[in-house]
């Protein structure tokens, strides 16, 4: 009896709870920017190797599952590459230039939760569009190729609370991308080239685990915060080429589609925001250019970055937008088969549209955009002195986005 009474008087043992695990599970999306180092090796009769410095920008989306401290998931991205390497003429190889135009990655990720940080490794598939062409005097003889390869890398995600943006994830990572050797027909000489790219990237990401739901008693539509989605539609362009004392214009049209993302700040019902899209395109046209009676035109890449302003009316958010548009095209002289595989153009763009909040987290968009060249590129299809090219375009796009708010 006394033993039991003594035991009852003892204090209860302390219960030590494990450190709570941060929730990394769920959907996430964001944008990245970084540097790129490309290793190019090309061979004609002899081999040459060079290193190039460049940059990469784009959008990413993924999904995480979590089991205790173990985090695993899938991650995909698409981005524009600005990476070029010139090779001087040498015995056994013509002067040429190789470049990476855009890249896509689909990866599996495995990470470990250590509180507000999650180091990870990732690997999977890479898909690039690259081109190679002769340099002066025949810088219009080249070929663009799509190449599938592999990627491997590592990085760390960090939970942060940023001014204006609120709870977010900042990612720092390294990616290695290996692409197999591929032959390029330079309309005479043929080069076989392989490429590997090292990326160092920083990304700003919103996650579903940080979603802040409003009160169920309110019926107010929340337009604030980050969003990401898929967008597509059609584009019509007027392509004008001028040189040799004449000018020619032809029309091009076709579908466009890709991903878009942005961030809205609300002041009452008024909205200010930023918005960007990265899209693959199949806008094709055919017509004369100075010195070339018949050319084929293919606009294959479009991206834009814009500021937006709008006013919310319940579940509708009409808006106007203006900013910059970047596009790239391939053009071929059908008589000579001279080809320029990557002709970039920078344009100003403006337009209007409306977002509709179909559910608390999904918004539907319809918009119209007009774009006009600010800086064009010389086509150089048949002469080093010909020709300057500009374009105007109109597009109609439909999209659906997930809101992280």
């Amino acid at each position: 009896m006394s033993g039991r009474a003594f035991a009852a008087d003892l204090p209860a043992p302390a219960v030590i709870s494990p450190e709570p695990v941060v929730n990394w599970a769920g959907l996430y999306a964001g944008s990245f920017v970084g540097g790129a180092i490309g290793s190019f090796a090309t061979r004609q009769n002899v081999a040459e190797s060079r290193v190039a410095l460049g940059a990469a920008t784009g959008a990413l989306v993924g999904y995480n599952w979590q089991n205790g401290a173990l985090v695993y998931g899938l991650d995909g991205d698409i981005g524009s590459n600005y990476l070029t390497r010139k090779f001087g003429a040498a015995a056994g190889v013509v002067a040429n230039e190789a470049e990476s135009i855009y890249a896509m990655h689909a990866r599996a990720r495995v990470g470990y939760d250590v509180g507000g940080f999650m180091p990870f490794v990732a690997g999977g598939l890479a898909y690039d569009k690259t081109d190679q062409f002769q340099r002066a005097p025949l810088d219009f003889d080249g070929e663009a190729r799509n190449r599938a390869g592999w990627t491997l890398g590592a990085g760390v995600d960090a939970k942060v609370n940023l001014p204006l943006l609120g709870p977010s994830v900042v990612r720092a990572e390294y990616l290695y991308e290996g692409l197999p050797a591929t032959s390029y027909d330079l309309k005479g000489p043929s080069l076989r080239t392989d490429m590997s790219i090292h990326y160092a990237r920083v990304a700003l990401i919103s996650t579903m685990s940080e979603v802040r739901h409003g009160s169920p008693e309110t019926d107010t539509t929340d337009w604030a915060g980050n969003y990401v989605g898929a967008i597509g539609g059609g584009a019509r362009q007027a392509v004008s080429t001028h040189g040799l004392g004449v000018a020619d214009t032809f029309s091009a049209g076709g579908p466009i589609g890709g991903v878009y993302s942005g961030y809205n700040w609300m002041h009452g019902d008024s909205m200010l925001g930023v918005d960007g899209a990265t899209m693959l395109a199949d806008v094709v046209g055919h017509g004369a250019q100075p010195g070339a009676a018949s050319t084929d035109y293919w606009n294959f890449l479009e991206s834009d970055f814009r500021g937006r302003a709008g006013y919310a009316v319940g579940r509708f958010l009409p808006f106007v937008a203006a900013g910059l548009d970047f596009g790239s095209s391939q053009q071929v002289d059908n008589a000579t088969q001279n080809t320029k595989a990557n002709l970039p153009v920078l344009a100003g763009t403006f337009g209007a549209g409306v977002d509709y909040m179909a559910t608390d987290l999904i918004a539907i968009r319809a918009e119209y955009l007009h774009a006009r060249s600010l800086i064009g590129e010389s086509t150089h299809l048949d002469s080093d002195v010909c020709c300057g090219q500009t374009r105007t375009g109109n597009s109609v796009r439909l999209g659906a986005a997930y809101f992280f708010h």
Side-chain angles (χ1 to χ4, degrees):
M1 291 287 290
S2 61
R4 289 196 296 272
F6 177 75
D9 292 335
L10 292 177
V15 177
I16 302 176
S17 299
E19 186 74 17
V21 176
V22 175
N23 180 23
W24 292 92
L27 179 71
Y28 62 86
S31 301
F32 65 85
V33 63
I37 301 176
S39 297
F40 295 81
T42 189
R43 171 181 289 276
Q44 189 181 358
N45 298 321
V46 298
E48 283 194 304
S49 298
R50 296 286 189 275
V51 173
L53 301 179
T57 61
L60 62 89
V61 64
Y63 197 96
N64 288 332
W65 293 269
Q66 185 161 354
N67 185 3
L70 182 65
V71 182
Y72 52 94
L74 300 174
D75 185 282
D77 66 70
I78 178 172
S80 297
N81 284 352
Y82 310 94
L83 190 62
T84 299
R85 178 69 256 185
K86 294 180 179 180
F87 292 85
V93 61
V94 299
N96 67 91
E97 187 169 335
E99 56 188 347
S100 173
I101 303 170
Y102 68 78
M104 295 184 286
H105 305 103
R107 306 181 296 164
R109 292 201 315 154
V110 178
Y112 193 83
D113 182 0
V114 288
F117 296 89
M118 196 265 288
F120 64 87
V121 295
L125 300 177
Y127 186 82
D128 278 42
K129 186 177 185 67
T130 61
D131 82 315
Q132 192 164 12
F133 54 91
Q134 289 193 59
R135 292 176 59 204
L138 300 174
D139 64 352
F140 43 78
D141 285 343
E143 185 178 23
R145 300 292 299 271
N146 294 320
R147 303 201 292 181
W150 59 278
T151 180
L152 186 67
V156 60
D157 286 354
K159 298 263 188 178
V160 295
N161 196 0
L162 297 175
L164 298 179
L165 300 180
S168 304
V169 171
V170 173
R171 173 181 296 179
E173 66 176 336
Y174 160 79
L175 283 79
Y176 174 84
E177 179 183 291
L179 300 172
T182 303
S183 295
Y184 293 85
D185 179 9
L186 275 54
K187 308 303 181 289
S190 178
L191 301 180
R192 188 163 181 81
T193 303
D194 62 65
M195 180 189 307
S196 60
I197 304 176
H198 304 263
Y199 298 95
R201 308 194 311 194
V202 177
L204 179 61
I205 298 170
S206 292
T207 68
M208 188 169 67
S209 62
E210 300 293 351
V211 168
R212 299 175 297 282
H213 297 285
S215 169
E217 288 80 16
T218 65
D219 193 30
T220 302
T221 302
D222 186 2
W223 289 102
N226 188 49
Y227 55 88
V228 64
I231 196 164
R236 295 289 300 178
Q237 297 173 356
V239 183
S240 299
T241 312
H242 50 88
L244 303 178
V246 296
D248 288 303
T249 300
F250 59 83
S251 297
I256 54 176
V259 297
Y260 74 112
S261 62
Y263 198 97
N264 293 336
W265 291 272
M266 301 299 298
H267 182 72
D269 290 326
S270 299
M271 180 275 292
L272 291 176
V274 293
D275 186 280
T278 301
M279 299 171 294
L280 301 182
D282 190 24
V283 180
V284 297
H286 178 88
Q289 293 182 10
S294 172
T295 61
D296 285 336
Y297 169 91
W298 176 38
N299 172 210
F300 57 82
L301 179 67
E302 285 290 319
S303 59
D304 59 63
F305 181 77
R306 306 172 299 156
R308 295 202 309 154
Y311 190 85
V313 184
R315 288 189 170 270
F316 292 90
L317 179 65
F319 63 86
V320 293
L324 297 175
D325 175 274
F326 175 82
S328 194
S329 67
Q330 175 177 301
Q331 299 179 43
V332 182
D333 181 342
N334 291 315
T336 63
Q337 292 304 302
N338 290 341
T339 302
K340 198 68 178 286
N342 180 27
L343 279 161
V345 61
L346 180 66
T349 182
F350 63 88
V354 61
D355 289 343
Y356 172 71
M357 193 68 74
T359 73
D360 289 342
L361 298 175
I362 303 295
I364 308 300
R365 171 177 296 182
E367 65 179 343
Y368 159 80
L369 290 175
H370 176 80
R372 183 177 294 269
S373 295
L374 297 174
I375 301 174
E377 176 68 28
S378 179
T379 55
H380 281 194
L381 287 179
D382 293 282
S383 169
D384 282 343
V385 298
C386 177
C387 297
Q389 187 174 84
T390 60
R391 76 179 193 194
T392 58
N394 299 285
S395 61
V396 176
R397 310 192 307 197
L398 299 175
Y402 179 92
F403 265 73
F404 297 85
H405 57 217

